[in-house]
Amino acid sequence: MTAVPNTATSVPTVPLLINGEWVDSSATEFRNVVNPATQEVLARVPLATASEVAAAVGAAHRAFATWRHTPIGARLRVMLRFQALIREHSKRIAAILTAEQGKTLADAEGDIFRGLEVVEHACSIGTLQQGGFAENVAATVDTYTLQQPIGVCAGITPFNFPAMIPLWMFPMAIVCGNTFVLKPSEQDPLSTMELVKLALEAGVPPGVLNVVHGAKDVVDALCTHPDIKAVSFVGSTAVGTHVYNLANAHGKRVQSMMGAKNHAVVLPDAHKEQTLNALAGAGFGAAGQRCMATSVVVLVGAARDWVPDLVARAKTLKVGAGAEPGTDVGPVVSVAAKERILGLIAAGEREGATLVLDGRGVEVPGYPRGNFIGPTIFTDVKTDMSIYTEEIFGPVLVVIGVDTLDDAIALVNRNPFGNGTGVFTQSGAAARKFQSEIDVGQVGINIPIPVPVPYFSFTGSRGSKLGDLGPYGKQVVQFYTQTKTVTARWFDDATVNDGVNTTISLK
Ligand code: NAD
């Protein structure tokens, strides 16, 4: 991603969306959106000005006054139309996503599909956004709760799922009766913008969904704006911690989903072929750029002998441009990301790990400038090495051997991250012990990437998450609503007179 001057170029500039209008930003600074397989510049993204951010929040604030009173049925019917449009346009948007992000076309469709599932779930808002009722909490007194929308919400999204993660956020926020300001990743906002266009086509009214582009300044403006009531963030740990602290200090409700180091624990009784397939797919798919990617393989006991088989499986994967048929591992998102990953691989060698599969220097015919790194595997990894302590976010697996399941559980629990983990075994007792004792928010049993479907919530934990309530599912309805409790008494007899009572009732 390169800064470019504000001069006319042959590539399109990505517009802002403010109050239902596509707005050409008057920004003075831009970023290029670059195809990671070719370095072709696809578009340029403005870093919106402070007054543009204020205009977007202002539009959302005004729209809230009417949208919050729009009947639930009308809101969910917008989502019904939206899900149909996403389905219809999925292949077209996937091609845009692959061009700007690098992942394979099939994986890009998966990215959209996972977001689509959240939109489908948003269509159930009629039964999700319900309060409770207790009759006769005192004589003739009832208590009930309302789940009311909270106001203007903001979403800040990362580069790695430009369809799914925006769709984690704005559909659920909007269907609950809130209005929204979205700040997509400046690295790959084009597919996100296609989804936003479809949301308007589905009937999201002007001002209910707004989009501003930018980086730190824009994010900070959203986190401090007095009219924003809640902020959803997904991205790296450093930025997520900053967003959480800043927005919290300004009185906002915040959910911050952040970095990870996901361990797959392999017991020697695991189904060998299926486990190796799972490890290779979850470690190297999307070039390792998934927050739930397997990044550490913990081989227990005799499973330590499986390293050559894992290397052989990794070698079967085809590295190439995401748009080319047969590609398993696309490029990483940017030249800078590639440099960073290569730096960590070099550090791993320096710090004494054994490089048993080296993906550096991989060549892809026809794509000499792509940000390619082939599957890479380290063994003899110690927990103080930077390839273990850092989130690599590339196609690099680090392998650690331990003697027992207890050792493996202790290792995972010592790691500060808590996004996802998996155990591979044929033993129900071992799996049950693992799920009970592991201190990680999302656990897979013979499942490498245990991302919950939208009827549940995304439940990363510890260093991978700040804030109590996760994205989508029931938790996000709590996040995007304020519970109001009403205690009511109605008199059906005009002559009733209890007299003045100055004490707390004992009945
Ligand atoms: P990032 O933190 O660099 O960027 C995320 C967002 O923050 C972007 O919109 C970006 O513009 C903005 N941003 C960047 N720098 C900022 C700053 N200094 N101040 C304020 N805002 C800033 O993350 P990324 O590289 O786009 O995404 C990859 C990261 O996201 C990885 O760490 C990955 O694990 C994480 N991630 C986590 C989850 C999860 O659910 N836990 C899901 C996907 C990705």
Side-chain angles (χ1 to χ4, degrees), residues 264-336:
V265 173
V266 181
L267 299 186
D269 70 347
H271 188 300
K272 188 169 179 183
E273 291 308 308
Q274 292 288 48
T275 302
L276 292 172
N277 289 339
L279 296 178
F284 305 121
Q289 299 171 116
R290 294 179 179 134
C291 66
M292 290 286 280
T294 298
S295 48
V296 183
V297 176
V298 185
L299 298 177
V300 181
R304 280 183 278 214
D305 297 338
W306 293 13
V307 170
D309 302 295
L310 179 60
V311 170
R313 196 63 46 108
K315 281 183 174 167
T316 65
L317 299 177
K318 186 176 169 209
V319 181
E324 294 289 348
T327 296
D328 297 304
V329 180
V332 297
V333 73
S334 65
V335 171

Coordinates of all heavy atoms in Angstrom, one line a residue, residues 264-336:
A264 N -2.9 -26.2 17.1 CA -3.6 -27.5 16.8 C -2.8 -28.6 17.5 O -1.6 -28.7 17.3 CB -3.6 -27.7 15.3
V265 N -3.5 -29.2 18.4 CA -2.9 -30.3 19.3 C -3.2 -31.6 18.6 O -4.4 -32.0 18.5 CB -3.4 -30.2 20.7 CG1 -2.9 -31.4 21.5 CG2 -3.0 -28.8 21.3
V266 N -2.2 -32.4 18.3 CA -2.4 -33.6 17.6 C -1.9 -34.8 18.5 O -0.8 -34.9 18.8 CB -1.6 -33.7 16.3 CG1 -1.8 -35.0 15.5 CG2 -1.9 -32.4 15.4
L267 N -2.9 -35.6 18.8 CA -2.6 -36.8 19.6 C -2.3 -38.0 18.7 O -2.8 -38.0 17.5 CB -3.8 -37.2 20.5 CG -4.2 -36.1 21.6 CD1 -5.3 -36.6 22.5 CD2 -3.0 -35.6 22.4
P268 N -1.5 -38.9 19.1 CA -1.0 -40.0 18.2 C -2.1 -40.9 17.7 O -2.0 -41.6 16.7 CB 0.0 -40.8 19.0 CG -0.1 -40.3 20.4 CD -0.8 -39.0 20.4
D269 N -3.3 -40.9 18.4 CA -4.4 -41.8 18.0 C -5.3 -41.0 17.0 O -6.3 -41.6 16.6 CB -5.2 -42.2 19.2 CG -6.0 -41.1 19.8 OD1 -5.8 -39.9 19.5 OD2 -7.0 -41.3 20.6
A270 N -4.9 -39.8 16.6 CA -5.8 -39.1 15.6 C -5.8 -39.8 14.3 O -4.9 -40.5 13.9 CB -5.2 -37.7 15.4
H271 N -6.9 -39.5 13.5 CA -7.0 -40.1 12.1 C -5.9 -39.3 11.3 O -6.0 -38.1 11.0 CB -8.4 -39.8 11.6 CG -8.7 -40.4 10.3 ND1 -8.0 -40.1 9.2 CD2 -9.7 -41.3 9.9 CE1 -8.5 -40.8 8.1 NE2 -9.5 -41.5 8.6
K272 N -4.9 -40.1 10.9 CA -3.7 -39.4 10.4 C -4.0 -38.6 9.1 O -3.6 -37.4 9.0 CB -2.6 -40.4 10.2 CG -1.3 -39.8 9.8 CD -0.2 -40.8 9.9 CE 1.1 -40.2 9.5 NZ 2.2 -41.1 9.5
E273 N -4.6 -39.3 8.1 CA -4.8 -38.6 6.8 C -5.7 -37.3 7.0 O -5.3 -36.3 6.5 CB -5.5 -39.5 5.8 CG -4.5 -40.7 5.4 CD -3.2 -40.2 4.9 OE1 -3.2 -39.3 4.1 OE2 -2.2 -40.7 5.5
Q274 N -6.8 -37.5 7.7 CA -7.7 -36.3 7.9 C -7.0 -35.2 8.7 O -7.2 -34.0 8.4 CB -8.9 -36.8 8.7 CG -9.8 -37.7 7.9 CD -10.6 -37.0 6.8 OE1 -10.0 -36.3 6.0 NE2 -11.9 -37.2 6.7
T275 N -6.2 -35.6 9.6 CA -5.5 -34.6 10.4 C -4.4 -33.8 9.6 O -4.4 -32.6 9.6 CB -4.8 -35.2 11.7 OG1 -5.8 -35.9 12.4 CG2 -4.1 -34.2 12.5
L276 N -3.7 -34.5 8.8 CA -2.7 -33.9 8.0 C -3.4 -33.0 7.0 O -2.9 -31.8 6.7 CB -1.8 -34.9 7.2 CG -0.9 -35.7 8.1 CD1 -0.3 -36.9 7.3 CD2 0.2 -34.9 8.8
N277 N -4.5 -33.4 6.4 CA -5.3 -32.6 5.5 C -5.7 -31.3 6.2 O -5.6 -30.2 5.7 CB -6.5 -33.3 5.0 CG -6.2 -34.4 4.0 OD1 -5.1 -34.4 3.4 ND2 -7.1 -35.3 3.9
A278 N -6.2 -31.5 7.4 CA -6.7 -30.3 8.2 C -5.6 -29.3 8.5 O -5.8 -28.1 8.3 CB -7.4 -30.8 9.5
L279 N -4.4 -29.8 8.9 CA -3.3 -28.9 9.3 C -2.8 -28.2 8.1 O -2.6 -26.9 8.1 CB -2.2 -29.8 9.9 CG -2.5 -30.5 11.2 CD1 -1.3 -31.3 11.6 CD2 -2.9 -29.5 12.3
A280 N -2.7 -28.8 6.9 CA -2.2 -28.2 5.7 C -3.2 -27.1 5.2 O -2.9 -26.0 4.9 CB -1.9 -29.2 4.6
G281 N -4.5 -27.5 5.3 CA -5.5 -26.6 4.8 C -5.6 -25.3 5.7 O -5.7 -24.2 5.2
A282 N -5.6 -25.6 7.0 CA -5.8 -24.5 8.0 C -4.6 -23.7 8.2 O -4.6 -22.5 8.6 CB -6.3 -25.1 9.3
G283 N -3.4 -24.3 7.9 CA -2.2 -23.5 8.1 C -1.8 -22.7 6.9 O -1.3 -21.5 7.0
F284 N -2.1 -23.2 5.7 CA -1.6 -22.5 4.5 C -2.8 -21.9 3.7 O -2.5 -21.1 2.8 CB -0.8 -23.5 3.6 CG 0.3 -24.1 4.4 CD1 0.4 -25.5 4.6 CD2 1.3 -23.3 5.0 CE1 1.4 -26.0 5.4 CE2 2.3 -23.9 5.8 CZ 2.4 -25.2 5.9
G285 N -4.0 -22.3 3.9 CA -5.1 -21.7 3.2 C -5.2 -20.2 3.4 O -4.8 -19.7 4.5
A286 N -5.6 -19.4 2.4 CA -5.6 -18.0 2.5 C -4.2 -17.4 2.8 O -4.1 -16.4 3.4 CB -6.6 -17.4 3.5
A287 N -3.2 -18.2 2.4 CA -1.8 -17.9 2.7 C -1.6 -17.6 4.2 O -0.8 -16.7 4.6 CB -1.3 -16.7 1.9
G288 N -2.3 -18.3 5.1 CA -2.2 -18.1 6.5 C -2.7 -16.8 7.0 O -2.5 -16.5 8.2
Q289 N -3.4 -16.1 6.2 CA -3.9 -14.7 6.6 C -5.4 -14.8 7.2 O -6.3 -14.1 6.8 CB -3.9 -13.7 5.5 CG -2.5 -13.5 5.0 CD -2.4 -12.7 3.7 OE1 -1.9 -11.6 3.6 NE2 -3.1 -13.3 2.6
R290 N -5.6 -15.8 8.0 CA -6.9 -15.9 8.7 C -6.6 -15.7 10.2 O -5.7 -16.3 10.7 CB -7.6 -17.2 8.5 CG -8.0 -17.5 7.0 CD -8.6 -18.9 6.9 NE -9.0 -19.2 5.6 CZ -8.8 -20.4 5.0 NH1 -8.1 -21.3 5.6 NH2 -9.2 -20.6 3.8
C291 N -7.5 -15.0 10.9 CA -7.3 -14.9 12.3 C -7.5 -16.2 13.0 O -7.0 -16.4 14.1 CB -8.3 -13.9 12.9 SG -10.0 -14.4 12.8
M292 N -8.1 -17.2 12.4 CA -8.3 -18.5 13.0 C -7.4 -19.5 12.3 O -7.6 -20.7 12.5 CB -9.8 -18.9 12.9 CG -10.7 -18.1 13.8 SD -10.5 -18.6 15.5 CE -11.5 -20.0 15.6
A293 N -6.5 -19.1 11.5 CA -5.6 -20.0 10.8 C -4.8 -20.8 11.9 O -4.5 -20.3 12.9 CB -4.6 -19.3 9.9
T294 N -4.5 -22.1 11.6 CA -3.6 -22.8 12.5 C -2.2 -22.3 12.2 O -1.8 -22.2 11.1 CB -3.6 -24.3 12.1 OG1 -5.0 -24.8 12.3 CG2 -2.7 -25.1 13.0
S295 N -1.6 -21.9 13.3 CA -0.2 -21.3 13.2 C 0.8 -22.1 14.0 O 2.0 -22.1 13.7 CB -0.2 -19.8 13.5 OG -0.8 -19.6 14.7
V296 N 0.3 -22.9 15.0 CA 1.2 -23.7 15.8 C 0.7 -25.1 15.8 O -0.5 -25.3 16.1 CB 1.3 -23.2 17.2 CG1 2.3 -24.1 18.0 CG2 1.7 -21.8 17.3
V297 N 1.5 -26.1 15.4 CA 1.1 -27.5 15.5 C 1.8 -28.1 16.7 O 3.1 -28.1 16.8 CB 1.5 -28.3 14.2 CG1 1.2 -29.8 14.3 CG2 0.7 -27.7 13.0
V298 N 1.1 -28.7 17.6 CA 1.7 -29.3 18.8 C 1.5 -30.8 18.6 O 0.4 -31.3 18.7 CB 0.9 -28.8 20.1 CG1 1.6 -29.4 21.3 CG2 0.9 -27.3 20.1
L299 N 2.6 -31.5 18.4 CA 2.6 -32.9 18.2 C 2.9 -33.6 19.5 O 3.9 -33.3 20.1 CB 3.6 -33.3 17.1 CG 3.4 -32.7 15.7 CD1 4.5 -33.1 14.8 CD2 2.0 -33.1 15.1
V300 N 1.9 -34.5 19.9 CA 2.0 -35.1 21.2 C 2.6 -36.5 21.1 O 2.1 -37.3 20.3 CB 0.7 -35.1 21.9 CG1 0.8 -35.8 23.3 CG2 0.1 -33.7 22.0
G301 N 3.6 -36.9 21.8 CA 4.1 -38.2 21.9 C 4.6 -38.7 20.5 O 5.3 -38.0 19.8
A302 N 4.0 -39.9 20.1 CA 4.5 -40.5 18.9 C 4.0 -39.7 17.6 O 4.6 -39.9 16.5 CB 3.9 -41.9 18.8
A303 N 3.1 -38.8 17.8 CA 2.7 -37.9 16.7 C 3.9 -37.1 16.2 O 3.8 -36.5 15.1 CB 1.5 -37.1 17.0
R304 N 4.9 -37.0 17.0 CA 6.1 -36.2 16.6 C 6.7 -36.8 15.3 O 7.5 -36.1 14.6 CB 7.1 -36.2 17.7 CG 6.8 -35.1 18.8 CD 7.8 -35.1 19.9 NE 7.6 -36.1 20.8 CZ 7.9 -36.0 22.1 NH1 8.4 -34.9 22.6 NH2 7.6 -37.0 23.0
D305 N 6.5 -38.0 15.1 CA 7.0 -38.7 13.9 C 6.3 -38.2 12.6 O 6.7 -38.7 11.5 CB 7.0 -40.2 14.0 CG 7.8 -40.7 15.2 OD1 8.7 -40.0 15.6 OD2 7.5 -41.8 15.7
W306 N 5.3 -37.4 12.7 CA 4.5 -37.1 11.5 C 5.0 -35.9 10.7 O 4.4 -35.5 9.7 CB 3.0 -36.7 12.0 CG 2.2 -37.9 12.5 CD1 2.7 -39.1 12.9 CD2 0.8 -37.9 12.8 NE1 1.7 -39.9 13.4 CE2 0.5 -39.2 13.4 CE3 -0.2 -37.0 12.6 CZ2 -0.8 -39.5 13.7 CZ3 -1.5 -37.3 13.0 CH2 -1.8 -38.6 13.5
V307 N 6.1 -35.3 11.2 CA 6.6 -34.1 10.5 C 6.9 -34.4 9.0 O 6.4 -33.6 8.2 CB 7.9 -33.6 11.2 CG1 8.5 -32.5 10.4 CG2 7.5 -33.0 12.6
P308 N 7.6 -35.5 8.7 CA 7.8 -35.7 7.2 C 6.5 -35.8 6.4 O 6.4 -35.3 5.3 CB 8.6 -37.0 7.2 CG 9.2 -37.1 8.5 CD 8.2 -36.5 9.5
D309 N 5.5 -36.4 7.0 CA 4.2 -36.5 6.3 C 3.5 -35.1 6.2 O 2.9 -34.8 5.1 CB 3.2 -37.4 7.1 CG 3.8 -38.8 7.3 OD1 4.0 -39.5 6.2 OD2 4.1 -39.1 8.4
L310 N 3.7 -34.3 7.2 CA 3.1 -32.9 7.1 C 3.8 -32.1 6.0 O 3.2 -31.4 5.2 CB 3.2 -32.2 8.5 CG 2.7 -30.8 8.6 CD1 1.2 -30.7 8.2 CD2 3.0 -30.2 10.0
V311 N 5.1 -32.3 6.0 CA 5.9 -31.6 4.9 C 5.5 -32.0 3.6 O 5.2 -31.2 2.6 CB 7.4 -31.8 5.2 CG1 8.2 -31.3 4.0 CG2 7.9 -31.1 6.5
A312 N 5.3 -33.4 3.4 CA 4.9 -33.9 2.1 C 3.5 -33.4 1.7 O 3.3 -33.0 0.6 CB 4.9 -35.4 2.2
R313 N 2.6 -33.3 2.7 CA 1.3 -32.8 2.4 C 1.3 -31.3 2.0 O 0.7 -30.9 1.0 CB 0.4 -32.9 3.6 CG -1.1 -32.8 3.5 CD -1.7 -33.9 2.6 NE -1.2 -35.2 2.9 CZ -1.9 -36.2 3.4 NH1 -3.1 -36.0 3.8 NH2 -1.4 -37.4 3.6
A314 N 2.2 -30.5 2.7 CA 2.3 -29.1 2.3 C 2.9 -28.9 0.9 O 2.5 -28.0 0.2 CB 3.2 -28.4 3.4
K315 N 3.7 -29.8 0.6 CA 4.4 -29.7 -0.8 C 3.4 -29.9 -1.9 O 3.6 -29.6 -3.1 CB 5.5 -30.7 -0.9 CG 6.8 -30.2 -0.2 CD 7.9 -31.3 -0.4 CE 9.2 -30.8 0.1 NZ 10.2 -31.9 0.2
T316 N 2.3 -30.6 -1.6 CA 1.3 -30.8 -2.7 C 0.5 -29.6 -3.0 O -0.2 -29.5 -4.0 CB 0.2 -31.9 -2.3 OG1 -0.5 -31.4 -1.1 CG2 0.9 -33.2 -1.9
L317 N 0.6 -28.5 -2.2 CA -0.2 -27.3 -2.4 C 0.4 -26.5 -3.5 O 1.6 -26.3 -3.6 CB -0.3 -26.5 -1.1 CG -1.0 -27.2 0.0 CD1 -1.0 -26.4 1.3 CD2 -2.4 -27.7 -0.3
K318 N -0.5 -26.0 -4.4 CA 0.0 -25.2 -5.5 C -0.1 -23.7 -5.1 O -1.2 -23.2 -4.7 CB -0.9 -25.4 -6.7 CG -0.4 -24.8 -7.9 CD -1.2 -25.2 -9.2 CE -0.8 -24.3 -10.3 NZ -1.9 -24.0 -11.3
V319 N 1.0 -23.0 -5.2 CA 1.1 -21.6 -5.0 C 0.8 -20.9 -6.3 O 1.4 -21.2 -7.3 CB 2.5 -21.2 -4.4 CG1 2.6 -19.7 -4.1 CG2 2.8 -22.0 -3.2
G320 N 0.0 -19.8 -6.3 CA -0.3 -19.1 -7.5 C -1.2 -18.0 -7.3 O -1.6 -17.7 -6.2
A321 N -1.6 -17.3 -8.4 CA -2.5 -16.2 -8.3 C -3.9 -16.8 -8.0 O -4.3 -17.8 -8.5 CB -2.6 -15.5 -9.7
G322 N -4.6 -16.0 -7.1 CA -5.9 -16.5 -6.7 C -6.9 -16.7 -7.8 O -7.8 -17.5 -7.7
A323 N -6.8 -16.0 -8.9 CA -7.7 -16.1 -10.0 C -7.4 -17.3 -10.9 O -8.2 -17.6 -11.8 CB -7.7 -14.8 -10.8
E324 N -6.3 -17.9 -10.7 CA -5.9 -19.1 -11.6 C -6.5 -20.3 -11.0 O -6.4 -20.6 -9.8 CB -4.4 -19.2 -11.6 CG -3.7 -18.1 -12.3 CD -3.9 -18.0 -13.8 OE1 -4.5 -19.0 -14.4 OE2 -3.5 -17.0 -14.5
P325 N -7.2 -21.1 -11.9 CA -7.7 -22.4 -11.4 C -6.6 -23.3 -10.8 O -5.5 -23.3 -11.3 CB -8.3 -23.1 -12.7 CG -8.3 -22.0 -13.7 CD -7.3 -20.9 -13.3
G326 N -7.0 -24.0 -9.8 CA -6.0 -25.0 -9.2 C -5.1 -24.4 -8.1 O -4.4 -25.1 -7.5
T327 N -5.2 -23.1 -7.9 CA -4.4 -22.5 -6.9 C -4.9 -22.8 -5.5 O -6.1 -22.8 -5.2 CB -4.3 -20.9 -7.0 OG1 -3.7 -20.6 -8.3 CG2 -3.6 -20.3 -5.9
D328 N -3.9 -23.2 -4.6 CA -4.3 -23.5 -3.2 C -3.9 -22.3 -2.3 O -4.5 -22.0 -1.3 CB -3.6 -24.8 -2.7 CG -4.0 -26.0 -3.5 OD1 -5.2 -26.3 -3.5 OD2 -3.1 -26.7 -4.1
V329 N -2.7 -21.7 -2.6 CA -2.1 -20.7 -1.8 C -1.9 -19.5 -2.6 O -1.0 -19.5 -3.5 CB -0.8 -21.2 -1.1 CG1 -0.2 -20.1 -0.2 CG2 -1.0 -22.5 -0.3
G330 N -2.6 -18.4 -2.4 CA -2.4 -17.2 -3.2 C -1.3 -16.3 -2.5 O -0.6 -16.7 -1.6
P331 N -1.1 -15.1 -3.1 CA -0.1 -14.2 -2.5 C -0.6 -13.6 -1.2 O -1.8 -13.6 -0.9 CB -0.1 -13.1 -3.6 CG -1.4 -13.1 -4.2 CD -1.9 -14.5 -4.2
V332 N 0.4 -13.1 -0.4 CA 0.0 -12.3 0.8 C -0.3 -10.9 0.3 O 0.0 -10.5 -0.8 CB 1.1 -12.3 1.9 CG1 1.3 -13.8 2.4 CG2 2.4 -11.7 1.4
V333 N -1.0 -10.2 1.2 CA -1.8 -9.0 0.7 C -0.9 -7.9 0.1 O -1.3 -7.2 -0.8 CB -2.7 -8.5 1.8 CG1 -1.9 -7.8 2.9 CG2 -3.7 -7.5 1.3
S334 N 0.3 -7.7 0.6 CA 1.1 -6.6 0.2 C 2.6 -6.9 0.2 O 3.0 -7.9 0.8 CB 0.9 -5.4 1.1 OG 1.3 -5.6 2.4
V335 N 3.4 -6.0 -0.5 CA 4.8 -6.2 -0.5 C 5.3 -6.1 1.0 O 6.2 -6.8 1.4 CB 5.5 -5.1 -1.4 CG1 7.0 -5.1 -1.2 CG2 5.1 -5.4 -2.8
A336 N 4.7 -5.1 1.7 CA 5.1 -4.9 3.1 C 4.9 -6.2 4.0 O 5.7 -6.6 4.8 CB 4.4 -3.7 3.7

